[in-house]
Amino acid sequence: MTASDQALDSLALAVRAADSKGGEDLVALDVSGPLPFTDVFLLITGTSERNVIAIADEIEDVLREAGAKTLRREGHSAGRWILLDFGDLVVHVFHREERLYYGLERLWSDCPVVPVAPLLAAGS
């Protein structure tokens, strides 16, 4: 993996924030090889529009408190697929149907998976 330490630190915060709001099926992909503008994608499933929004808001709040800036935020009003761009970390919070439909895991299947379980355990 070639993701930066800063990206991995942000990832750890985002994973714990998503988990605290009931985020499901967390998958982190190191996309630093094929993409020059970001290091890590974090994919999260929410169970409803309200849950998707709550997860995204919590991630933004936690990363803002840690000094990260949201460079781009899209899809918040609909609550079906929210994209949060923090530069070296891009977070995709999906409603279950959108996640299945767009299948980002399949699109980026050649990228290494960053294990998220140790990040959750480290926050306990």
Side-chain angles (χ1 to χ4, degrees):
M1 284 187 280
T2 58
S4 69
D5 288 341
Q6 180 178 337
L8 296 174
D9 290 345
S10 294
L11 173 64
L13 292 172
V15 163
R16 290 192 288 274
D19 183 64
S20 76
K21 292 299 179 182
E24 299 177 351
D25 302 324
L26 281 70
V27 174
L29 302 171
D30 183 337
V31 295
S32 59
L35 295 178
F37 53 85
T38 194
D39 286 351
V40 177
F41 278 178
L42 175 59
L43 313 176
I44 306 159
T45 299
T47 56
S48 66
E49 287 88 352
R50 183 176 289 194
N51 184 230
V52 168
I53 292 168
I55 292 165
D57 287 349
E58 182 69 8
I59 291 169
E60 260 193 306
D61 290 347
V62 166
L63 287 176
R64 185 180 319 110
E65 288 174 15
K69 289 187 178 184
T70 308
L71 304 177
R72 176 174 285 156
R73 178 188 201 204
E74 296 183 15
H76 191 271
S77 61
R80 301 294 295 182
W81 177 3
I82 299 176
L83 181 140
L84 302 172
D85 182 354
F86 297 99
D88 53 3
L89 171 66
V90 175
V91 178
H92 302 267
V93 187
F94 292 97
H95 194 281
R96 185 165 288 130
E97 288 84 17
E98 273 68 15
R99 181 149 179 194
L100 290 171
Y101 179 78
Y102 289 102
L104 292 188
E105 289 98 331
R106 287 187 312 271
L107 291 174
W108 298 99
S109 63
D110 57 337
C111 294
V113 173
V114 180
V116 296
L119 302 175
L120 289 171
S124 300

